Amino acid sequence: MLHPVICIDGPAASGKSTVARLVAQDLGYIYVDTGAMYRAFTFLTLEAGHDPTSRPRMKQLLEKVDFQAEIQKKEITLREANRDLAPHTRLPEVNAAVSIVSALPELREYLVNLQRKLRLSGPLVMEGRDIGTVVCSDSPFKYFIDACPTVRAERRRQQGEKDNLATRDRLDSSRASAPLLRAADATLLDSGKNDARALADRIVSEVRARQKPGPTVP
Ligand code: DC
């Protein structure tokens, strides 16, 4: 059985992870950060010394890799040959290369298949760039979270992370395969004008209202 998915897309540092986590906690759903999966493969690519733009190298990596995405306590743990990849996903070199590696069609196909299979495990809040447009385009629950570039840059600064948002925005939006796009049926939310709690409350109440069984017809 395919469980419901709440799709939360948006650009880097839009605040979508904070909102997605709150929504998942409130509803008791599994939280899935698909960006972390692209980051994990960017780390593995760099660690192997592969050219991050090479499709044959990525194909080779995918054929050999022992990659596991497991649900533990309603979150996804990413491992390679039993090594936890979480400590490696937010390194500055990963930030710098992730938009290049994530544009490789071989990797996208591999991860989109994996992400779709997670719908068999339970209800999900899945955040990323192409969740509403590609991964779970059939979902009735789609949100696109954005904020102006100044607000997003300040957010990264406060997180103490080095990240070139303008370059990532350009690469994520212009790639040929599943570019960052707002789905036509996604609700646009501004995280510069509303705090994460207010946005999460709105999503949770909309989802609850739409899931309420309708009046029974005699
Ligand atoms: O959400 P994030 O900043 O952690 O994502 C890291 C990169 O991964 C982002 O620059 C684009 C890519 N990404 C993607 O292409 N598709 C997704 N569903 C999620 C992330």
Side-chain angles (χ1 to χ4, degrees):
M1 164 192 167
L2 281 187
H3 290 275
V5 186
I6 301 171
C7 309
I8 301 189
D9 290 303
S14 60
K16 62 187 184 307
S17 305
T18 311
V19 176
R21 272 179 194 280
L22 289 171
V23 172
Q25 277 163 15
D26 288 357
L27 293 170
Y29 283 18
I30 299 160
Y31 166 64
V32 184
D33 171 5
T34 62
M37 297 178 183
Y38 288 95
R39 288 171 175 277
F41 273 94
T42 302
F43 169 70
L44 294 173
T45 299
L46 298 175
E47 186 187 47
H50 289 178
D51 169 0
T53 64
S54 166
R55 293 178 63 179
R57 285 297 209 172
M58 177 51 73
K59 214 169 150 232
Q60 217 177 50
L61 176 67
L62 292 171
E63 277 162 7
K64 284 198 195 143
V65 77
D66 176 14
F67 183 73
Q68 300 111 28
E70 277 171 20
I71 300 166
Q72 287 181 342
K73 296 189 189 152
K74 306 235 165 174
E75 294 217 5
I76 306 284
T77 307
L78 304 177
R79 291 182 193 281
E80 182 262 332
N82 276 329
R83 169 173 60 150
D84 183 6
L85 293 172
H88 309 290
T89 53
R90 303 209 70 95
L91 298 170
E93 57 271 33
V94 170
N95 279 348
V98 66
S99 290
I100 297 165
V101 175
S102 63
L104 299 174
E106 288 76 10
L107 178 60
R108 300 206 71 80
E109 190 187 333
Y110 176 92
L111 287 180
V112 167
N113 282 335
L114 188 154
Q115 290 153 10
R116 286 184 175 150
K117 283 195 195 126
L118 292 172
R119 287 181 80 175
L120 297 168
S121 309
L124 310 173
V125 177
M126 196 180 279
E127 59 130 315
R129 301 289 189 291
D130 59 345
I131 312 305
T133 50
V134 176
V135 181
C136 302
S137 54
D138 60 322
S139 170
F141 306 115
K142 297 185 189 176
Y143 296 88
F144 192 93
I145 301 191
D146 207 349
C148 71
T150 327
V151 169
R152 294 193 290 123
E154 176 56 18
R155 206 171 268 146
R156 268 295 184 270
R157 200 188 59 75
Q158 283 179 9
Q159 289 166 338
E161 267 189 44
K162 199 165 166 265
D163 199 353
N164 190 333
L165 293 180
T167 308
R168 278 221 285 145
D169 282 355
R170 188 173 44 74
L171 290 170
D172 291 349
S173 306
S174 62
R175 67 178 175 227
S177 180
L180 170 67
L181 268 183
R182 172 156 81 95
D185 52 346
T187 304
L188 178 63
L189 300 175
D190 187 330
S191 67
K193 297 191 179 133
N194 305 275
D195 70 11
R197 185 65 266 173
L199 294 180
D201 286 347
R202 172 171 170 181
I203 296 173
V204 169
S205 65
E206 284 180 9
V207 170
R208 285 196 171 130
R210 290 182 72 176
Q211 285 182 333
K212 251 190 220 149
T216 44
V217 181

